[in-house]
Amino acid sequence: VLGVFGVCVDGRKEILYSNGNLKKISSDGNNIKVIYYNGDVKETKDDSERYYFAKNKTYHTTYNTGLEIIEFPK
């Protein structure tokens, strides 16, 4: 891993990569959030993955059932 790895007091883990990306992992490992250097954000939970595209302010959510939802800004 090319970056800095840390464990918080409550068990959460954070990895700061050399390219500026930051990965946050919950203490139980069920929730993972990646904050990319360009402002995009990917959140993975038990039943879904949600990706935020910062440039166009759009969310793309994919559920384990196969359902996909795309949300565009107003």
Side-chain angles (χ1 to χ4, degrees):
V1 176
L2 298 174
V4 178
F5 178 81
V7 179
C8 299
V9 175
D10 62 2
R12 290 177 294 126
K13 298 174 184 82
E14 293 190 358
I15 304 167
L16 178 60
Y17 294 94
S18 58
N19 64 359
N21 293 343
L22 174 63
K23 182 184 237 183
K24 298 181 175 191
I25 305 168
S26 65
S27 57
D28 61 8
N30 291 331
N31 298 319
I32 300 171
K33 182 184 230 181
V34 180
I35 304 167
Y36 295 94
Y37 66 90
N38 65 353
D40 287 4
V41 178
K42 180 172 76 170
E43 293 182 81
T44 304
K45 297 184 179 183
D46 291 334
D47 66 340
S48 65
E49 178 177 285
R50 187 169 191 188
Y51 196 98
Y52 174 71
F53 296 90
K55 184 176 180 181
N56 58 13
K57 299 178 183 165
T58 302
Y59 286 96
H60 180 197
T61 306
T62 305
Y63 293 91
N64 291 346
T65 61
L67 174 66
E68 294 187 40
I69 299 174
I70 300 173
E71 301 170 70
F72 297 97
K74 295 179 181 182

